[in-house]
Amino acid sequence: MKVMLADFHKFIGYSGGIENVFAKMASALSERGYDVIAVFADEKTEGEPFFAVPKSVKLLNLYHLPGEKAVKPSGLTKALREVIRPFSRAAARDQNYRLLYQAKAQLSRLLEKEKPDVIVSFREPTGRLLLDGVGTKIPVISMLHNDPDEIFRGSPAEERKALEKSAAIQVLLPSFISKAKKYLHYDHFIAIPNAVNAPHVTADHLAKKDKYTITCVGRLTGRTKRQHLLIEAFAKLAQGHPDWQVQLWGDTYDKPYVASLKSKIKKYGLEKQVFLCGTTKDMDAVWKETDIFAFPSHHEGFGLALVEAMCCGIPAVGYRSCPAVNEIIVSGENGILCEDGVDPLSQALGRLMDDRMLRRTYGEAARSMAEKYHAEKVWEQWEGLLRRSLGIRYSKGGVS
């Protein structure tokens, strides 16, 4: 079977969760004997992907295809998008789609040349271009990488209608199916979690250390990940816990937010206890130092880093209101879910910081509960979906 993975988005040097899944799926399917084409869309022509893609995968940049005229997204359209964004999320996303639509001809010729049996679309604009812009009849499995409320609230109607032509729509958690149905007139959903390659690390919560570490992993951004809440929560604990530190790992592209985090660190005098660590490809080294995983996100689609930490036997703290996190963390069993705000987060962290036996108990449960997300089990589910997709024919409002 020839499978095309399509994520018409920047990929070179990007270290986000979707890019991680894109590379992992390409590698996993190739290892299982599939003929894999992985297509992204990046104006860059130089540099390497942050997440490695094996040479057995044909990796192509839609904007710079061999033998094709390079696609240069309109600067005017980009500028208009930024003007519109504060007033209408849907209109801004339409502008994004117009930028992508400039590669329609290149995509049509690529599909004709490669003739994939099935396509896996990683983002909604990608699916829109495939199913509406190009109008492909190749089965397209559309992935939803976030909470459907976050994806579709304020999304363009044309985008939703296009996705309704999908051969199947994959969500990350069973609870997301009912959410997606609020926005899509569609029935062929399937819940498959992200695949997690379990790190080769097991936390030892009874070991005595000079420094104990609270870790948070995710791009530094105020709207989603909200690392500022962790800094403020730790500030209430730092003086009484001089042997504890916080490490914030993640991409620092949001320069104003990074500056605000540095300002908070300085304000609370935490320069020797809170660190902005950037990105790394050696996550095993990070997990080896970690005693508690803190995840103060507003919303998540899954939380790869959260489950990786759990695989290592690391207990986690998150907000009860955060989708996905509030299903993966079972409060009182493998971690703690707290109410919104700085004080509840601080209290939850303090409880684990002061009780190494509780950290071990929750950590052991976390490692056991995370087994269902192990890569081998997840890729088996994907293989079943890919095989079934070949027998699917399109019908109005979904598939039959």
Side-chain angles (χ1 to χ4, degrees), residues 179-208:
K179 285 188 175 186
K181 285 184 175 181
K182 294 188 299 183
Y183 304 96
L184 302 176
H185 299 292
Y186 189 82
D187 291 319
H188 201 69
F189 291 97
I190 183 169
I192 303 178
N194 279 331
V196 178
N197 296 320
H200 304 292
V201 175
T202 301
D204 181 0
H205 294 290
L206 300 186
K208 291 187 178 181

Side-chain angles (χ1 to χ4, degrees), residues 116-193:
D117 296 302
V118 62
I119 302 170
V120 181
S121 168
F122 277 67
R123 299 179 202 251
E124 297 72 43
T126 297
R128 183 178 174 184
L129 184 61
L130 286 162
L131 292 162
D132 190 15
V134 172
T136 184
K137 297 303 179 183
I138 299 167
V140 174
I141 300 171
S142 295
M143 304 174 77
L144 301 185
H145 284 279
N146 208 339
D147 174 5
D149 283 335
E150 288 295 325
I151 293 173
F152 295 119
R153 189 184 294 128
S155 65
E158 293 80 5
E159 183 177 278
R160 298 194 299 273
K161 290 177 181 177
L163 292 186
E164 290 169 359
K165 301 175 185 176
S166 301
I169 296 179
Q170 175 254 352
V171 298
L172 291 165
L173 295 167
S175 66
F176 285 173
I177 293 177
S178 59
K179 285 188 175 186
K181 285 184 175 181
K182 294 188 299 183
Y183 304 96
L184 302 176
H185 299 292
Y186 189 82
D187 291 319
H188 201 69
F189 291 97
I190 183 169
I192 303 178

Side-chain angles (χ1 to χ4, degrees), residues 287-328:
W287 300 134
K288 189 174 181 179
E289 291 187 22
T290 300
D291 300 280
I292 300 170
F293 186 77
F295 215 37
S297 295
H298 174 269
H299 61 273
E300 288 287 340
F302 182 74
L304 274 172
L306 168 61
V307 178
E308 279 193 21
M310 292 172 63
C311 287
C312 298
I314 299 167
V317 175
Y319 282 115
R320 193 180 305 279
S321 61
C322 180
V325 170
N326 58 18
E327 294 184 55
I328 294 172

Side-chain angles (χ1 to χ4, degrees), residues 255-283:
K255 301 305 180 185
Y257 185 64
V258 171
S260 73
L261 294 180
K262 291 179 178 179
S263 178
K264 283 187 182 295
I265 292 169
K266 184 175 181 181
K267 173 185 175 181
Y268 294 118
L270 298 174
E271 293 93 337
K272 295 183 179 180
Q273 286 181 274
V274 178
F275 306 96
L276 307 185
C277 303
T279 59
T280 180
K281 296 184 180 181
D282 186 7
M283 285 305 300

